Amino acid sequence: MDYSQFKFLGLPMLAWIPLFPLLGALVNLTLGRRLGKTAAHTVAIAAVVASFGMSAWLVFGELWKAYKAGAGGTGIEQVVYTWIEVGQLKIELAFHLDTLSGVMILIITGIGSLIHIYSTGYMAHDPRYSTFFGYLNLFTGAMLILVLGSSLPVMFIGWEGVGLCSYLLIGFWYEREDYATAGRKAFIVNRIGDFCFLLGMFLLFWATKTLDFGQLKQASVGAAYVQPFWGGERLAAAAAIFLFIGACGKSAQLPLFVWLPDAMAGPTPVSALIHAATMVTAGVYMVCRLAFLYSASTTAMIVVCTIGMLTALVAAFMAFAQTDLKKVLAYSTVSQLGFMFVAAGTGNWTAAIFHLMTHAFFKACLFLGAGSVMHGMEHGGSTTPGDIMTMGGLRKHMPITWITFLISCLAIAGIFPFSGFFSKDEILGGAYSIVGSAAPPGWPAWYGYVLWGGLLVAALGTAFYMWRLYFLVWHGPERSEAAKHAHESPPSMTMPLVILALGATLTGFLGLPHLSWLKLPSWWPSLSSWLAPSTVQTWYNPGVDGPAQPLLGHSSDNTILILMVVALGIGLLGIGLAWVFYGAPGKPSGTVERLVDGPLHGAYEASKAKLWFDEVYDFLIVRPFRLVARALFEIVDRFIIDTIAVNGSAMVVGLFGRVSRWFQNGQVQRYLAGLVLGAAAVFLVADCKTKPTFDYEMVGDRLHLTARPGAGLVSATTKLRWDIDGDGKADVDPNTGAVYDTPDLYVLYGDTGAKVTLFIDDPVTRTTKTVTRLIELEDK
């Protein structure tokens, strides 16, 4: 179907989805202070709700029709205008809505709307209220451009946009140096990943001469990136790994995850927006969007899932000893993103997006719940509202926040029937299935078990540290006066929590396990069927005889049920361990202190110090960089540029100025004297440049003499005389009787002696100079 005329107010319909929040940002950032707080948040919320409404109408209307007609992957594409056209490169500012981007825009605008509403209560007393909502709108608009872009360059606009907005929002309270530093850290670390993203993009264009997703997906173009590139690997491997490094920056994977925990410096709604539905999911979405590229390189896929598994484990370990409420949730986000990348790295695109969706609900609920807790603690008089060791017993004071937090903790721990159970089980089952003959080409046959085992350990850690957090915050006695006086947050903050908790409960049923006996009605939405047209299901290996190998293996019903029971058991075990140490009456248990001070002291210190990643980076990267920068500053900037080039030239000019002032004093007599002396000096110098001499040569039977009395004006007044016979006296012309006094003189060679003398008479100095030269000619 042709959607070129599918417009609203002269602009393509898809363009309005990001344009609504961008317009809201424009209004709030320019007129917000004049409009007042009510108008500021009304504009911001209305912009995102309008974008959500437009998204829902398009997804459940036109896109649903295309999906039912078998064109869900083709979807809706609309061009705003031609952005760049240089040689073979033609980039159009175009947006593409298919079943994959449809899920993303609903998550971004839906959860984004709730976060905007929540912010009206949380930021009510902030002096930069309208600016905050302007930044939130700008962030939302950039993220929508990222997921709707029909090519890598358009995606990169949104990619950089969310990076900029993260800097603005994380460092929103820039008056505190540590908050400003956190914003800069996020910006700089993301630039490292973005540089690699650009390298991958340039490499793809070099190979295929296109960056449009639709064209890159075509088999005729795909053949270009399956050609050998380096070390026997396909070009797809290099391009996909470079792009994945960019994803590691945005989605906080090893080794570029260090910015995300520090991002807790921003207001809590920012943490929810960044960590749940938008920026950190950009990398996962990008890998799934380029499924056709990653399916052409099993090397790139194993890199993706290995980094994801290691990140899930490392981040879970770091969360064990944290005492800051939002820091625990931050490391939880990093760990859960690792799960998503394992799913994407095993070709389980549905599981990756499924967990992205469920995580968006329960993690947004957890972060906003944390903000509600901190809000209540601050009103109770706490000066450290995020310290979980000062909490306890808050369920009595904040019942709505407590019940929604409980639901989200059950979901993230993978407890049935909450959403995290289904999505995490989908990832674990997918990893377990790629073993033996079902393993991707070139992978060890047993590597699926490694991924499955590593993720089980990470899931155990997730359940333990999240329920440690839950028990310390909500159960037991209040451990501070602030906790005793905490109270529930206003409806503007609790209402979004209820909706998010409802989503964390129900969204899991969109991805029920694939059991042969589980017969669902035809109207039941299936996420795997919905996403299938926008992804790929087989490894891209052209030229190989036989059918293409599917990305994932298929497990029997019994295996699926066993894996589900194991996953559920791991979650319950983690909760049980947390209850033993932190939840039972009279806890935290003294056993914890004995273990921390005894056999687990080293592990505790390593977890508390976050494995010293920041310290290692500071030693290996930051300090040497600062040393080089300091040296360049002192030598190049201060010495060469400032001292020599700038101050030195100024000093020379000043010196000449002081000398000139001695001469330029208005006395005409001194000016005349200077003029005479200067002219004399010029004449003297000009006169002394060349010593007097003469040249000679034979012309027929005559000797041609040419006088050269010297340079300058003085030499022009001299008189010449020639002695051609060598007797020491000036000779005369025998025909005219006149003295030979011309500069050019022709005489018979036979009249000359062995040497010739030139007399130079200077009438100014009244001196005579003589130049005598021996005449040496071969014919003489």
Side-chain angles (χ1 to χ4, degrees):
M1 179 176 176
D2 182 17
Y3 293 98
S4 59
Q5 302 303 317
F6 203 51
K7 296 183 178 182
F8 176 65
L9 296 179
L11 285 176
M13 297 290 286
L14 289 180
W16 282 100
I17 296 177
L19 188 58
F20 278 131
L22 292 178
L23 290 174
L26 178 64
V27 171
N28 268 317
L29 292 176
T30 56
L31 304 174
R33 292 199 176 195
R34 298 180 182 178
L35 296 175
K37 289 187 175 181
T38 301
H41 70 238
T42 301
V43 168
I45 295 171
V48 183
V49 170
S51 185
F52 174 72
M54 181 73 77
S55 301
W57 181 68
L58 286 172
V59 171
F60 297 116
E62 297 301 321
L63 185 59
W64 177 258
K65 294 177 185 176
Y67 168 72
K68 298 301 286 184
T74 305
I76 304 170
E77 182 157 338
Q78 292 184 309
V79 178
V80 181
Y81 65 90
T82 299
W83 177 24
I84 300 173
E85 188 169 7
V86 181
Q88 293 179 304
L89 177 64
K90 183 178 181 180
I91 302 173
E92 293 176 325
L93 185 63
F95 299 109
H96 181 76
L97 177 64
D98 61 0
T99 55
L100 175 57
S101 56
V103 172
M104 293 299 297
I105 62 173
L106 290 176
I107 293 173
I108 294 166
T109 56
I111 295 181
S113 298
L114 296 175
I115 293 172
H116 277 68
I117 295 171
Y118 177 95
S119 299
T120 61
Y122 191 87
M123 301 294 291
H125 302 292
D126 195 279
R128 298 171 63 219
Y129 189 81
S130 60
T131 302
F132 178 79
F133 277 98
Y135 290 164
L136 281 187
N137 272 181
L138 188 63
F139 194 108
T140 306
M143 188 66 193
L144 289 169
I145 292 174
L146 189 155
V147 299
L148 285 173
S150 67
S151 65
L152 278 168
V154 178
M155 173 186 277
F156 194 67
I157 297 174
W159 192 273
E160 289 298 283
V162 294
L164 170 64
C165 293
S166 68
Y167 164 74
L168 296 173
L169 288 167
I170 293 169
F172 184 75
W173 290 322
Y174 59 85
E175 296 87 354
R176 283 187 52 172
E177 179 58 31
D178 54 337
Y179 288 7
T181 300
R184 291 193 297 267
K185 184 176 182 179
F187 190 81
I188 292 170
V189 172
N190 272 275
R191 296 294 73 71
I192 298 171
D194 295 349
F195 175 72
C196 292
F197 186 101
L198 286 173
L199 291 179
M201 187 165 63
F202 295 155
L203 195 58
L204 273 181
F205 178 76
W206 173 73
T208 65
K209 301 302 181 290
T210 183
L211 292 171
D212 181 85
F213 293 134
Q215 296 176 17
L216 284 171
K217 193 175 181 179
Q218 294 174 6
S220 58
V221 177
Y225 50 74
V226 298
Q227 300 304 315
F229 179 65
W230 181 74
E233 288 292 343
R234 294 174 173 179
L235 183 139
I241 290 172
F242 274 129
L243 290 166
F244 173 65
I245 296 173
C248 287
K250 279 289 178 290
S251 297
Q253 298 295 286
L254 287 172
L256 300 179
F257 73 97
V258 291
W259 68 271
L260 192 60
D262 290 354
M264 297 303 95
T268 297
V270 173
S271 303
L273 192 63
I274 290 177
H275 291 204
T278 55
M279 180 173 168
V280 295
T281 61
V284 179
Y285 168 77
M286 185 270 293
V287 173
C288 293
R289 170 55 67 200
L290 296 174
F292 54 85
L293 176 66
Y294 284 87
S295 68
S297 173
T298 56
T299 301
M301 297 284 272
I302 200 171
V303 169
V304 171
C305 61
T306 301
I307 293 296
M309 179 189 67
L310 293 175
T311 303
L313 289 168
V314 169
F317 176 76
M318 291 178 180
F320 291 152
Q322 303 303 315
T323 57
D324 183 270
L325 177 56
K326 288 168 65 177
K327 280 280 181 74
V328 176
L329 298 179
Y331 284 110
S332 168
T333 297
V334 175
S335 183
Q336 297 306 303
L337 288 166
F339 276 83
M340 298 177 208
F341 276 110
V342 171
T346 54
N348 198 352
W349 320 111
T350 298
I353 298 301
F354 186 25
H355 197 54
L356 184 155
M357 178 175 63
T358 60
H359 176 265
F361 280 98
F362 61 68
K363 186 53 62 68
C365 187
L366 287 169
F367 267 111
L368 296 184
S372 179
V373 169
M374 294 168 65
H375 184 268
M377 291 289 289
E378 285 176 345
H379 281 269
S382 175
T383 57
T384 56
D387 187 359
I388 61 177
M389 306 310 293
T390 64
M391 298 178 188
L394 292 182
R395 61 177 179 169
K396 296 176 292 186
H397 308 290
M398 310 178 71
I400 299 177
T401 303
W402 164 62
I403 194 66
T404 57
F405 204 94
L406 172 63
I407 291 171
S408 297
C409 283
L410 290 168
I412 195 173
I415 304 303
F416 181 84
F418 300 95
S419 60
F421 168 78
F422 296 99
S423 60
K424 197 172 291 186
D425 176 71
E426 189 80 11
I427 295 173
L428 289 167
Y432 187 88
S433 69
I434 54 169
V435 294
S437 60
W443 282 31
W446 43 263
Y447 199 64
Y449 294 137
V450 173
L451 295 174
W452 179 72
L455 291 184
L456 276 182
V457 175
L460 176 64
T462 298
F464 175 77
Y465 68 69
M466 282 304 304
W467 282 80
R468 164 185 175 266
L469 173 70
Y470 171 80
F471 289 128
L472 288 175
V473 172
W474 301 105
H475 285 257
E478 298 94 333
R479 293 186 294 277
S480 68
E481 288 298 316
K484 293 178 181 179
H485 296 93
H487 61 76
E488 188 60 275
S489 300
S492 62
M493 296 174 65
T494 55
M495 183 270 290
L497 292 176
V498 173
I499 297 175
L500 289 169
L502 187 64
T505 304
L506 300 178
T507 52
F509 292 98
L510 296 176
L512 291 174
H514 303 286
L515 299 168
S516 59
W517 51 266
L518 187 61
K519 304 297 182 182
L520 297 174
S522 58
W523 52 264
W524 189 268
S526 171
L527 190 64
S528 58
S529 299
W530 174 260
L531 292 176
S534 301
T535 56
V536 295
Q537 313 305 319
T538 58
W539 297 105
Y540 184 62
N541 200 22
V544 177
D545 296 333
Q549 180 180 343
L551 288 168
L552 289 172
H554 178 70
S555 299
S556 65
D557 286 357
N558 289 336
T559 301
I560 292 173
L561 289 173
I562 291 172
L563 293 176
M564 292 173 66
V565 171
V566 171
L568 179 60
I570 286 293
L572 293 173
L573 176 61
I575 296 174
L577 290 173
W579 185 84
V580 168
F581 291 118
Y582 296 98
K587 301 298 187 293
S589 168
T591 306
V592 176
E593 295 183 3
R594 289 192 296 272
L595 290 173
V596 166
D597 293 335
L600 297 182
H601 180 71
Y604 173 81
E605 290 297 326
S607 176
K608 187 75 173 177
K610 301 162 285 188
L611 291 176
W612 300 280
F613 265 91
D614 285 321
E615 288 77 8
V616 171
Y617 286 169
D618 183 69
F619 179 76
L620 295 179
I621 300 174
V622 177
R623 290 186 184 180
F625 184 83
R626 284 180 176 170
L627 182 63
V628 172
R630 184 70 183 178
L632 290 173
F633 170 69
E634 294 291 345
I635 297 172
V636 177
D637 192 5
R638 297 188 66 175
F639 180 69
I640 296 178
I641 296 177
D642 290 347
T643 303
I644 297 178
V646 178
N647 296 335
S649 60
M651 182 183 66
V652 171
V653 171
L655 178 61
F656 276 105
R658 285 193 295 271
V659 173
S660 299
R661 283 197 298 271
W662 187 80
F663 292 104
Q664 301 294 334
N665 59 4
Q667 295 182 4
V668 179
Q669 298 92 329
R670 185 173 292 183
Y671 294 168
L672 289 174
L675 180 62
V676 172
L677 292 175
V682 170
F683 295 155
L684 180 61
V685 171
D687 191 48
C688 294
K689 282 185 178 178
T690 307
K691 293 182 179 180
T693 185
F694 66 87
D695 298 329
Y696 63 87
E697 63 177 342
M698 285 297 299
V699 180
D701 60 349
R702 293 178 177 271
L703 182 65
H704 179 207
L705 300 169
T706 304
R708 302 191 184 280
L713 298 175
V714 175
S715 64
T717 64
T718 57
K719 295 181 179 180
L720 308 176
R721 292 177 293 128
W722 295 95
D723 171 19
I724 64 173
D725 56 8
D727 61 357
K729 297 179 182 180
D731 295 320
V732 298
D733 187 342
N735 297 321
T736 64
V739 177
Y740 291 132
D741 58 359
T742 60
D744 286 325
L745 181 63
Y746 288 88
V747 296
L748 290 172
Y749 179 69
D751 294 339
T752 62
K755 57 184 178 180
V756 173
T757 300
L758 172 64
F759 299 98
I760 304 172
D761 299 322
D762 187 352
V764 177
T765 60
R766 300 192 180 198
T767 59
T768 299
K769 296 178 182 178
T770 60
V771 180
T772 302
R773 294 190 63 183
L774 187 65
I775 304 301
E776 296 179 343
L777 297 172
E778 295 180 0
D779 295 335
K780 186 174 178 178

